[in-house]
Amino acid sequence: MPRFNHPGLGGPKVSFARRLRRQSTDTENKFWYLLRSQQLSSYKFRRQHPIGPYIVDFCCVSQRLVVELDGGQHAERLGKDRKRTLYLASRGYRVLRFWDN
């Protein structure tokens, strides 16, 4: 039996998000340990959550908050990250970015 019975859920983006969850960095795993199970003021966060064409590191949908933990590769793609942040902001999300070191 599939985990979700909703049309439109699944496909390559969800498969990619699942793979990202399995391949999380140490920093992402530590951060997720603090956020999971509604430990932060009872807010529910999702990890590697698809929003439009992007998959964000952590998302609290109820508060429209995205948290991105950026590794060194992001220093070379600031323009792409800015475009991503603008897209998310246009959808009503606040984006917090932190270097993962």
Side-chain angles (χ1 to χ4, degrees), residues 36-101:
R36 69 188 189 131
S37 302
Q38 300 178 359
Q39 294 183 87
L40 182 66
S41 299
S42 299
Y43 291 113
K44 179 175 176 54
F45 278 82
R46 298 175 183 179
R47 183 170 65 146
Q48 302 300 344
H49 179 66
I51 300 175
Y54 302 105
I55 298 175
V56 300
D57 291 338
F58 302 96
C59 180
C60 180
V61 176
S62 68
Q63 298 300 305
R64 309 294 284 184
L65 176 65
V66 167
V67 178
E68 294 279 28
L69 299 180
D70 295 341
Q73 76 278 12
H74 286 267
E76 300 167 1
R77 37 180 272 189
L78 294 175
K80 288 182 181 180
D81 285 345
R82 192 173 344 213
K83 180 180 174 185
R84 174 185 177 108
T85 298
L86 289 172
Y87 174 85
L88 294 168
S90 75
R91 301 304 184 270
Y93 287 91
R94 289 174 290 152
V95 179
L96 299 177
R97 289 188 173 278
F98 299 97
W99 289 105
D100 72 355
N101 54 5

